[in-house]
Every structure is written in C-alpha cells, then in structure tokens.
Amino acid sequence: MVLWEVRSYPEALRHERERILAKTDLQDRYGRLWQFKATRRERALYKLGELAPADAVPVRLSTPAAPRRPALTAAPVRKPSSRRRRAARQAVAPPDVEDLMPLGRQIAADHEARGVTLTRDRLRDAIRQTGQSVSTDRAGALLARLRSEPGPTAETSEREAA
C-alpha cells in the first residue's frame, strides 16, 4: 500500500491481484525464465506495477476506479535460436558469384600449379589481395561453384592461349 501510495485496502488488493495476473501472463508467454526472456519494457512495466493482463476482470469497488493500466498485447520478441539462425542462413539463396568466376579460376589454377589445396579461406584471402572485397559466404559459394565445374580441358586451354 505504501509503494502504490494507496490508502484503501480493497484497492491495494486489486493492485496485488493485477500484479500477480501480470506475472502469470509473463510466465505463460515466456516460460519459467520469463525474467530473462521478456522484453526490457515489459520487465520495467511489471516492476513499476503498470503492467496488467489484457483479460483482467475488474473488481467492483465502492471507491472510484483507477485508470486502466496498459494491457499485455505485444507479441513476444524472442531472439532466434542458433538452430533457427543456421536454418535461415541456409534457406537464403547462395550469393551470386558469376562476376568472380574468372578471378576464381585464375586463383584455382595458381594454387593447383603450386600444389596447394584450395580452401575457402585461401580463396577469400587471395581475392582480397587483388583488391576486391568478398565475404566468407561468397567465397564459399565461389569455391563450391569452382569445384562443381569441370576442369579445363586441353582444347579450352589451347583456345584461351591463342
């Protein structure tokens, strides 16, 4: 009653009822660890006692009713789990690497001539040394495309040399 600055016992009971219902709403929405999963705004409103559940049944009091508090209507904002983030990354179309194919072929041939296995990181670093920027994902897509492509035959290398 002191914290809510309420002098009426029935009104204090109503406030306590709303607080318990708000806590139950947060637990239903976010689970047992609702204190860590709820949004900062919802936690602050709960601490301030200004968060009331949307379906709270008002208690009839003989004293004038206090103004309604904001209802819990916002959808829970949850960070996606690492599994969901991974699935979302895989669902995204692979980056377009068509513009990097000539440079990728040149780097692959250079590594093959030196007898070094071409990896995504080596390909990425070699592309960056030429002054072009490339993401790790794009370098991986380029490497996959280079590996899936048939190697140069003697005829095509003779044509390119001529």
Side-chain angles (χ1 to χ4, degrees):
M1 289 174 71
V2 172
L3 290 175
W4 290 321
E5 297 177 2
V6 174
R7 297 183 193 276
S8 165
Y9 191 70
E11 191 173 337
L13 288 175
R14 185 179 58 79
H15 279 292
E16 180 63 12
R17 180 178 183 272
E18 285 180 359
R19 188 189 68 79
I20 291 172
L21 287 174
K23 181 178 178 181
T24 304
D25 253 1
L26 290 169
Q27 288 172 339
D28 288 346
R29 180 177 285 167
Y30 296 105
R32 272 183 30 180
L33 299 175
W34 67 269
Q35 294 99 335
F36 303 105
K37 294 179 182 178
T39 63
R40 288 177 53 207
R41 180 176 180 79
E42 286 175 323
R43 289 192 313 259
L45 288 173
Y46 174 75
K47 280 185 180 180
L48 294 171
E50 295 180 8
L51 193 62
D55 59 348
V57 179
V59 178
R60 298 268 178 190
L61 299 174
S62 58
T63 58
R68 292 297 302 155
R69 298 193 179 353
L72 285 177
T73 55
V77 178
R78 295 182 182 176
K79 290 183 179 180
S81 67
S82 59
R83 182 178 296 153
R84 283 191 218 138
R85 283 192 302 265
R86 213 174 309 118
R89 275 197 306 259
Q90 290 171 352
V92 173
D96 184 34
V97 294
E98 194 60 42
D99 57 331
L100 290 175
M101 283 303 289
L103 182 58
R105 286 186 192 107
Q106 182 183 3
I107 292 170
D110 180 48
H111 277 69
E112 190 176 327
R114 290 188 292 151
V116 178
T117 306
L118 186 62
T119 63
R120 181 193 64 196
D121 293 336
R122 288 180 182 156
L123 179 61
R124 182 198 61 215
D125 294 341
I127 291 172
R128 288 180 180 170
Q129 285 176 356
T130 65
Q132 283 199 339
S133 63
V134 65
S135 68
T136 305
D137 290 340
R138 197 163 182 221
L142 177 61
L143 181 62
R145 177 102 182 262
L146 288 170
R147 286 182 176 164
S148 68
E149 191 173 83
T153 61
E155 292 176 14
T156 56
S157 46
E158 286 176 9
R159 269 189 262 145
E160 288 176 1

